Amino acid sequence: MTGDRPLLEIRSLEVVFPTPGGTVRAVREVSLSVNPGESVGIVGESGSGKSTIARAALGLIELPGRIVGGEVLWRGRSLSDEKIARRYRGRQISLVSQDPMASLNPIRTIGVQMTEVMARHLKLGKQQARRRAGDLLEKVGIPEPGRRLDQYPFELSGGMQQRVVIAIALSCDPLMLIADEPTTALDVTTQAQILRLISSLQKELGLALMLITHDLGVVAGACDLLKVLYAGEIVESGTADALFHHPRHPYTAALLGATPRLDGTTERLRIINGQPPDLRSVDIGCSFSPRCPNSTSYCESEHPVLEPDSRGGMFACWHPQNHLDARSVPREG
Amino acid sequence: MGRYVLKRLIQAALVVVSVTVVVFVVTRLIGDPVAVMLPLEATDENRAVLEAQLGLDRPILVQLGDYMADAVRFDFGDSLWQRRPAIDIVMERLPPTMVLVLSGFVLGLLLGAVIGVVAAIRPGRWMDRLFVLLGVLGISLPQFWIGLVLIVFFSVGLGWFPTSGSGSLRHLVLPAVVLALPILGRIALVTRSSMIDELNTPHVKDATARGLSRARIVVAHAFRGAGIATITVAGWELVGALAGGAVVVETVYAWPGIGFTAMQAIERHDIILLQGVVLVIAVIVVTINILVDVTYTLLDPRVKFD
C-alpha cells in the first residue's frame, strides 16, 4: 500500500433525494479525500448531508437517493459498482453508526453477529471466528468477553453495545473506519469513553478515520483535519488546529461560539439565528447568507466557492472572519 | 417454563369448559332433536316418551350437570344418530381432518412465506403487485365458491382429480388447495409487510454496511425478525383452518373428517355428537395457542415466560 495515495476520494459528489415537494439536493459538489492513517472530522448540523456522505463512502446511497454527479473512489476504484463496493464494505471500510441498539440485530447473539462478518470476509471457521471475536471484545474493553458472545444486545448497556459495534467494525482489519455520530445515542460519561476508545484504536491500528458529528467538541481531540458542512456543501476545511483557533467562515465561527466550554469561560452560549435553508430550492448566492452576520447583498447573488487560504485550508466565503486575506470583493457601500 | 405451561394449561381447561357450557346451552335452546328423530306423524305422546328416554325433559341445568359429571370420566354421551359413543365417532373422523388441515396449512404457510419474502425484496415492482393481488384474492374469495369452481374446472372439465371423497393423494389435492388459499393470502401479506419493515431497520442497513451478502441479510436478519409476525398469524390460521375452513371444505368435497361430521350432526340435530366435535376442536385449538406462545420465546430472546 502506498502511503501517499488517498484511500477514499470523493470528487464533486452530488446526491439528490426526489421528494413530493421537490428534489432535495442533500450533497452538493463535495470533494474530500482521506489518506491512510489520517483522521478527518466532518462537522455539520442536522440535514447538512453528513450522513449521506458517510453512506456514499460505503457505496450505499439508497433509493430514492441518487448520485447525480461526481464519484466516490476507494483506492482508485469506483464504489458505484455494487460488486466492488460489497467486497470492501466491512472488509476495508467499516462503519460505526449512531445508535448501537439499532445497529445490532436485537434477536441474534453478539457472537453470531460478530462471526458472520468474519466468516464472510476472512473465511474463518466457526471456532476461529469465535476465538477472534472474544479477543476483539477484550480489545474494545468489554469484560468477560467469552460470556458476552452468547448474550443478546439488549442484555448490554448502550456503551457496551457501541463497543461491540466497534469490535465488529474492526474485526476484518479495515483500513478505514467511518464513525457516523458514534456517541450521539450515548450518555455523556460514556461518550467520552467511546471517543477515547475510537481515537486510541485509530492510532494503535494506524486506521484512517472519518468522524462525522454535529458536535465540535467531539472532533476536537480526535481529528487532524476538519471539514465543515453547511446545507450539503463544504464551507470550510483545514487542520483542526487552524479551524478552532482561526475560523475563517462565519458559520464555523458561529458553531464554535455555540459550543459549550469547560475552561471557565462564563460567556453565554451563542446561538445561530435562523434555520438551515430548504434544500429543495436552488439558491444562487451563499446558502449561509440569510443567517450570516457578515452577509451583504453580494452574498445573496453570488455563490462563493472553496478557495485555498494562507493557512493551507480552504473556505467558501466572500466576507470571512479575521480579514487576514480578504478577497477582492467590493463591500456594499 | 414449567410453571408457565402449568398456568397456561389451567387457563386452557377453563376455556374448554366454557366452550362446552356455551355449546351445551345453545344447542338445547335452538334445536329439537326429537322432532328430527321421529316421523312427521308421531303423536305428542311418542315425543314425550323419546324426550324422557334421552333425558331432554329435565331442566337444562340438571342436564348440564349430568353431562359434566360424565365428561369428567371421559364419557361424552352417545350420538343420537349413530347410537354409539360420540367421542368414538369424532376420533375416527379426526385423522382425515388432520391430514387435510395439515397439508393445506403447510402448503399455505410455505408458499405464503416465500411469496411474502420475494414480494418484499422489491416492493412496488410488478412481481410484488402480482403477489399482493394473489394474496388479496386468496383472502377474499369464499372457500365454498373456489371449491366448486375447482371441481368444475379440474374434476369435471379436465378430469384430473376426483370430484369428492377421500382415499388417495389425488382426492387430497383440491380440498388441500382450497384450504390453503386464504392461509397463503394472509401469511403472504403479513410476511410481506413485516419483511418490508425489517429490511428498512437500521440493523439491516448496518448489516449491509458490514458487507454481508444480500441472501444472508434477507434470510438470517430480516426474515428472522419478520418470522415472528408470520408465526403469530400461522397460529391463527391453523386454528381457523381447523375450526372453520375444514367444515366448509370437507362439506364441499365430502371429505370424511370432523368438519363434515359437524355438518351431519347439525343437519340431524345430533347435539351430543356436535358437542363432541366442538370439544375436540376446542382442545386442539387451545393446545395450538400454547405451542405458538412457546415458539415466540424460541424465536425472540426478548420474550420471557411469565
Side-chain angles (χ1 to χ4, degrees):
Chain A
M1 185 178 61
T2 58
D4 1 65
R5 208 179 74 184
L7 289 174
L8 178 72
E9 243 190 308
I10 295 178
R11 290 186 191 154
S12 306
L13 185 68
E14 293 263 346
V15 181
V16 298
F17 288 86
T19 68
T23 300
V24 171
R25 299 178 64 200
V27 174
R28 299 186 291 170
E29 282 286 321
V30 164
S31 299
L32 60 87
S33 62
V34 182
N35 293 318
E38 198 172 65
S39 57
V40 176
I42 297 182
V43 184
E45 57 198 297
S46 311
S48 60
K50 45 191 200 303
S51 287
T52 308
I53 291 176
R55 295 276 154 187
L58 288 156
L60 272 180
I61 295 295
E62 278 171 56
L63 289 171
R66 231 155 21 94
I67 294 181
V68 290
E71 53 187 349
V72 180
L73 302 177
W74 176 254
R75 302 170 88 189
R77 306 184 70 176
S78 171
L79 289 182
S80 47
D81 184 335
E82 173 64 16
K83 272 198 191 122
I84 291 175
R86 184 163 285 170
R87 216 163 47 231
Y88 295 140
R89 268 183 224 140
R91 176 75 183 88
Q92 299 190 349
I93 326 166
S94 282
L95 175 73
V96 173
S97 57
Q98 181 164 344
D99 183 356
M101 187 74 167
S103 179
L104 295 168
N105 187 332
I107 59 172
R108 314 228 58 193
T109 62
I110 284 157
V112 167
Q113 297 188 60
M114 294 189 75
T115 52
E116 68 180 356
V117 178
M118 292 183 257
R120 166 92 180 157
H121 295 301
L122 305 180
K123 314 285 176 231
L124 290 188
K126 222 173 179 174
Q127 285 313 311
Q128 274 175 300
R130 227 182 123 82
R131 210 170 313 121
R132 188 172 159 84
D135 295 346
L136 283 160
L137 288 182
E138 198 163 0
K139 197 179 187 73
V140 297
I142 291 182
E144 298 180 78
R147 197 163 71 84
R148 304 295 172 194
L149 291 177
D150 296 317
Q151 286 186 318
Y152 291 92
F154 71 91
E155 297 175 88
L156 271 62
S157 68
M160 285 297 149
Q161 287 174 3
Q162 193 63 300
R163 285 170 197 266
V164 171
V165 171
I166 293 169
I168 295 175
L170 297 178
S171 64
C172 300
D173 295 326
L175 299 173
M176 182 167 103
L177 198 63
I178 298 175
D180 185 3
E181 301 260 9
T183 60
T184 307
L186 306 173
D187 65 67
V188 182
T189 47
T190 320
Q191 285 185 0
Q193 293 170 6
I194 293 294
L195 268 180
R196 270 202 299 275
L197 177 68
I198 291 177
S199 246
S200 69
L201 287 168
Q202 185 242 334
K203 291 190 178 78
E204 182 191 332
L205 303 171
L207 295 173
L209 173 68
M210 185 156 128
L211 180 59
I212 293 168
T213 179
H214 65 275
D215 186 350
L216 276 173
V218 164
V219 288
C223 297
D224 311 326
L225 298 170
L226 291 187
K227 314 271 169 189
V228 178
L229 209 60
Y230 186 78
E233 288 177 296
I234 294 177
V235 293
E236 180 162 12
S237 76
T239 63
D241 203 47
L243 259 66
F244 272 100
H245 298 292
H246 305 287
R248 302 305 314 277
H249 198 284
Y251 179 61
T252 313
L255 270 184
L256 284 168
T259 306
R261 309 182 73 103
L262 290 174
D263 58 6
T265 322
T266 49
E267 193 184 334
R268 217 185 132 99
L269 269 189
R270 270 169 295 159
I271 57 164
I272 308 176
N273 286 316
Q275 296 285 323
D278 185 345
L279 294 174
R280 286 172 302 193
S281 52
V282 186
D283 55 301
I284 35 172
C286 168
S287 317
F288 189 57
S289 60
R291 306 170 77 183
C292 181
N294 304 357
S295 105
T296 62
S297 62
Y298 189 80
C299 299
E300 285 157 30
S301 58
E302 295 296 321
H303 194 86
V305 287
L306 270 182
E307 276 174 32
D309 67 5
S310 57
R311 310 158 309 164
M314 315 248 280
F315 66 90
C317 181
W318 300 121
H319 303 301
Q321 308 290 108
N322 318 314
H323 298 267
L324 295 174
D325 51 359
R327 291 181 190 162
S328 50
V329 173
R331 276 242 181 209
E332 298 300 304
Chain B
M1 163 125 187
R3 255 189 73 180
Y4 171 80
V5 172
L6 184 72
K7 204 173 109 189
R8 290 300 307 267
L9 284 177
I10 293 170
Q11 286 173 350
L14 285 176
V15 169
V16 170
V17 170
S18 316
V19 168
T20 305
V21 171
V22 170
V23 173
F24 191 92
V25 173
V26 169
T27 49
R28 270 150 191 82
L29 290 182
I30 60 168
D32 181 7
V34 173
V36 183
M37 292 168 79
L38 290 176
L40 277 175
E41 59 274 20
T43 62
D44 284 352
E45 231 169 274
N46 298 146
R47 294 168 162 280
V49 170
L50 186 54
E51 248 176 34
Q53 243 177 25
L54 297 175
L56 295 174
D57 55 339
R58 297 170 303 157
I60 197 161
L61 276 180
V62 177
Q63 293 183 44
L64 180 62
D66 267 10
Y67 183 83
M68 289 305 203
D70 290 342
V72 174
R73 297 190 304 267
F74 292 98
D75 173 4
F76 300 97
D78 286 356
S79 156
L80 305 179
W81 161 46
Q82 296 200 10
R83 311 252 170 206
R84 61 195 183 102
I87 201 73
D88 292 356
I89 302 174
V90 178
M91 286 307 166
E92 279 165 22
R93 298 291 188 93
L94 192 56
T97 295
M98 283 308 192
V99 168
L100 174 61
V101 167
L102 288 180
S103 327
F105 173 72
V106 170
L107 188 69
L109 179 62
L110 292 184
L111 280 181
V114 169
I115 283 176
V117 169
V118 171
I121 290 174
R122 290 179 189 280
R125 296 294 189 82
W126 67 268
M127 186 123 92
D128 175 43
R129 286 171 193 211
L130 182 75
F131 285 162
V132 168
L133 182 70
L134 197 74
V136 171
L137 284 179
I139 295 170
S140 23
L141 294 178
Q143 281 178 311
F144 75 87
W145 183 80
I146 301 179
L148 294 175
V149 168
L150 293 190
I151 290 175
V152 169
F153 198 77
F154 290 104
S155 306
V156 180
L158 294 168
W160 289 357
F161 304 106
T163 53
S164 65
S166 71
S168 75
L169 205 60
R170 269 159 37 97
H171 284 92
L172 179 63
V173 175
L174 290 185
V177 166
V178 174
L179 200 61
L181 282 177
I183 299 176
L184 183 152
R186 268 183 293 262
I187 295 280
L189 293 187
V190 167
T191 305
R192 172 185 175 274
S193 68
S194 49
M195 272 301 283
I196 289 175
D197 289 348
E198 278 291 322
L199 285 171
N200 281 310
T201 55
H203 74 254
V204 163
K205 290 184 175 172
D206 283 8
T208 312
R210 287 174 198 137
L212 298 181
S213 67
R214 185 78 180 151
R216 176 147 187 110
I217 287 165
V218 167
V219 176
H221 285 270
F223 185 66
R224 222 181 148 96
I228 295 170
T230 305
I231 291 289
T232 309
V233 177
W236 298 340
E237 291 303 324
L238 183 54
V239 164
L242 194 69
V247 178
V248 175
V249 174
E250 289 181 3
T251 307
V252 170
Y253 286 94
W255 183 267
I258 49 174
F260 191 39
T261 306
M263 283 306 292
Q264 290 175 318
I266 290 167
E267 280 164 11
R268 290 167 175 78
H269 282 267
D270 188 342
I271 51 180
I272 306 289
L273 180 56
L274 185 59
Q275 190 98 45
V277 171
V278 172
L279 180 81
V280 169
I281 290 179
V283 169
I284 298 175
V285 166
V286 293
T287 312
I288 292 170
N289 282 337
I290 294 176
L291 288 179
V292 167
D293 287 356
V294 172
T295 313
Y296 280 144
T297 61
L298 299 179
L299 286 179
D300 189 343
R302 291 166 298 181
V303 178
K304 292 267 177 269
F305 293 112
D306 68 342

